[in-house]
Amino acid sequence: MKKTTATDPAVTRNWRPATQAVRAGTHRSEHGETSEALYLTSGFTYDSAEEVAARFAGEASGMQYSRFRNPTVEMLQHRIAAMEGAEACLVQASGMAAMTSSLLAMLSAGDHVVAGRAAFGSCRWILDNVLNRFGITHTAIDGTDNAAWEAAIRPETKAFFFETPANPTMDLVDLEFVCGLARSKGITTVVDNAFATPVLQRPMDFGADVVAYSATKLMDGQGRVMAGAVCASRQWIEEVLSPFQRNTGPIAAPFNAWVVLKGLETLPLRAPAQSASALTVARHLEEKGLRVLHPGLPSHPQHELCQRQMSAAGPIFAFFAPGGQSQAMALCNALELIDISNNIGDSKSLMCHPASTTHYNMGAEGRAEAGIEDGMLRLNVGLEDVEDLIDDLDRALGTVGI
Ligand SMILES: *Cc1c(COP(=O)(O)O)cnc(C)c1O
């Protein structure tokens, strides 16, 4: 392999994660640019009519149209697949495009899905409001309960769909058990790994079939663009997802793919650093007597599972204002450094009140079922100095009488 390109999976698969994050997928043009090139083009030209005919017939490789393939997008797909340890990856316009495409591409009327009920609001919405209109039913269960997965299986169950850690309760799913159960029954597991990224957790190492991402979060990591990604076997990507995606069009913009490519270069540095700061802040809040949900703390009921399947617990955790919603909102308002924002994975620390924002749509009953209390706050810990974050929180907590 020439140093100008790093597109041979047989080579990039064997690199260590930090090298993959910086170099896997890089395909240099004849100019030999150091940074990945941004191909802002919708179409491509050909030297002959025969050449384009061969590409459309699938007899020659090469670009045809950016809804199908784009060189910048392909560099990102290769890089994410290498980091995930997956055979193949396709990127999409957003995390929700990735989740929706994965499910719609493989399910048909009459199929059944078992889903973890602690989930991102829009993931629940797809199950409740899109799939059910096409005769695809689901059972939402407590994903932390291994026996509940087994009990919910029906003859027509085609997929398990869950996130771990889950947003915002930080519930974990036992990847080895649940993926193994699915394998033994011929059920496809779709894992939303947005909170962890391949740097902190690789679900395929535990038997997951499909790993889907919001690349908007930690992968970009600097709050700039929307993007999504789906990793799976080459066969699943080529036979199931690719035809669906090419014809329905939830594809990523080349510019957004380029931004995520550059974001991935620093992911192996950012994810552990933000995870370490988040654990420090969580421990501090717990020591002050607050109730905290962080799987890296021994107080979390699934702490041992976290240690088994994650290298660190990530930048996000939840805690509770004892005075409920008004005190939680007052605490947000009293922060001077940490921003109020519903985004996560950013290098800036961000605080969110899930019950009135990200999980408002679920309704009070849905929130109660998912464990989202009115006093709950979700904190994304960024790359600022952790002592400044603790100072800001301590001052704000004092202001609201905690
Ligand atoms: C943000 C998020 C999504 C949706 O991703 P978008 O890029 O916002 O479309 C899905 N799942 C989880 C766990 C998320 O945090």
Side-chain angles (χ1 to χ4, degrees):
M1 187 179 68
K2 288 197 199 116
K3 250 164 72 178
T4 50
T5 60
T7 53
D8 180 358
V11 174
T12 59
R13 189 185 301 133
N14 296 321
W15 285 343
R16 289 162 185 84
T19 308
Q20 292 171 334
V22 174
R23 289 187 177 268
T26 300
H27 182 92
R28 289 187 169 127
S29 77
E30 71 274 24
H31 302 299
E33 63 280 350
T34 41
S35 176
E36 292 72 13
L38 172 53
Y39 291 89
L40 270 184
T41 182
S42 46
F44 299 87
T45 61
Y46 314 91
D47 287 339
S48 70
E50 288 76 13
E51 170 63 18
V52 59
R55 289 192 197 179
F56 273 82
E59 291 155 7
S61 70
M63 304 291 151
Q64 291 154 274
Y65 187 51
S66 283
R67 175 150 47 77
F68 303 163
R69 297 178 63 188
N70 174 279
T72 307
V73 170
E74 288 201 350
M75 286 192 253
L76 176 60
Q77 289 173 169
H78 185 116
R79 188 165 295 176
I80 293 174
M83 295 175 76
E84 194 65 48
E87 286 176 9
C89 169
L90 287 180
V91 303
Q92 292 80 18
S94 68
M96 287 323 301
M99 306 303 156
T100 310
S101 301
S102 305
L103 295 171
L104 282 178
M106 77 168 145
L107 297 170
S108 303
D111 289 346
H112 174 253
V113 179
V114 182
R117 71 175 169 229
F120 188 70
S122 295
C123 292
R124 287 295 299 272
W125 194 91
I126 302 175
L127 296 169
D128 291 336
N129 298 289
V130 181
L131 297 186
N132 70 338
R133 285 199 289 118
F134 299 95
I136 301 159
T137 56
H138 74 274
T139 308
I141 58 152
D142 173 0
T144 67
D145 179 359
N146 285 352
W149 288 98
E150 192 148 22
I153 295 173
R154 299 184 195 162
E156 62 274 23
T157 303
K158 287 281 156 48
F160 281 179
F161 179 43
F162 59 91
E163 56 189 73
T164 180
N167 179 16
T169 53
M170 304 308 291
D171 283 347
L172 305 187
V173 173
D174 184 336
L175 284 168
E176 192 169 11
F177 176 86
V178 173
C179 296
L181 173 66
R183 277 273 157 101
S184 73
K185 307 272 183 192
I187 294 166
T188 303
T189 40
V190 181
V191 182
D192 177 346
N193 200 34
F195 266 43
T197 80
V199 171
L200 303 180
Q201 169 176 279
R202 298 208 316 177
M204 284 182 178
D205 294 348
F206 300 93
D209 300 301
V210 179
V211 180
Y213 283 102
S214 168
T216 314
K217 311 291 171 53
L218 260 180
M219 284 189 172
D220 169 15
Q222 285 139 92
R224 299 166 296 190
V225 296
M226 306 294 300
V230 178
C231 296
S233 68
R234 181 162 304 286
Q235 188 184 9
W236 195 87
I237 291 285
E238 282 177 3
E239 292 174 10
V240 179
L241 186 58
S242 181
F244 180 90
Q245 179 163 324
R246 282 169 166 239
N247 292 295
T248 59
I251 44 104
F255 177 75
N256 292 6
W258 180 82
V259 171
V260 177
L261 263 171
K262 307 315 283 179
L264 287 179
E265 293 185 355
T266 54
L267 182 62
L269 297 172
R270 288 184 284 107
Q274 290 178 241
S275 298
S277 291
L279 187 58
T280 303
V281 175
R283 196 174 282 130
H284 177 80
L285 295 178
E286 195 169 67
E287 279 164 5
K288 286 182 85 109
L290 290 168
R291 188 153 62 94
V292 177
L293 294 176
H294 185 303
L297 289 173
S299 59
H300 191 280
Q302 295 171 296
H303 177 59
E304 187 268 332
L305 177 61
C306 173
Q307 289 182 310
R308 253 192 289 146
Q309 63 189 30
M310 304 184 78
S311 64
I316 300 142
F317 70 92
F319 66 99
F320 299 86
Q325 172 151 337
S326 59
Q327 193 180 42
M329 286 184 160
L331 180 64
C332 290
N333 296 339
L335 294 166
E336 288 177 2
L337 182 66
I338 298 168
D339 293 301
I340 302 173
S341 173
N342 48 287
N343 200 9
I344 51 171
D346 200 300
S347 56
K348 292 184 170 63
S349 292
L350 309 172
M351 182 88 88
C352 159
H353 177 249
S356 64
T357 59
T358 49
H359 294 70
Y360 177 73
N361 258 347
M362 291 172 84
E365 210 174 294
R367 283 194 295 278
E369 193 192 83
I372 298 156
E373 298 173 24
D374 288 345
M376 182 188 242
L377 288 163
R378 185 188 71 191
L379 181 61
N380 169 75
V381 176
L383 287 170
E384 303 95 335
D385 191 301
V386 68
E387 294 303 326
D388 287 329
L389 299 175
I390 287 174
D391 288 349
D392 194 36
L393 282 163
D394 280 349
R395 204 193 26 71
L397 287 164
T399 307
V400 302
I402 301 176

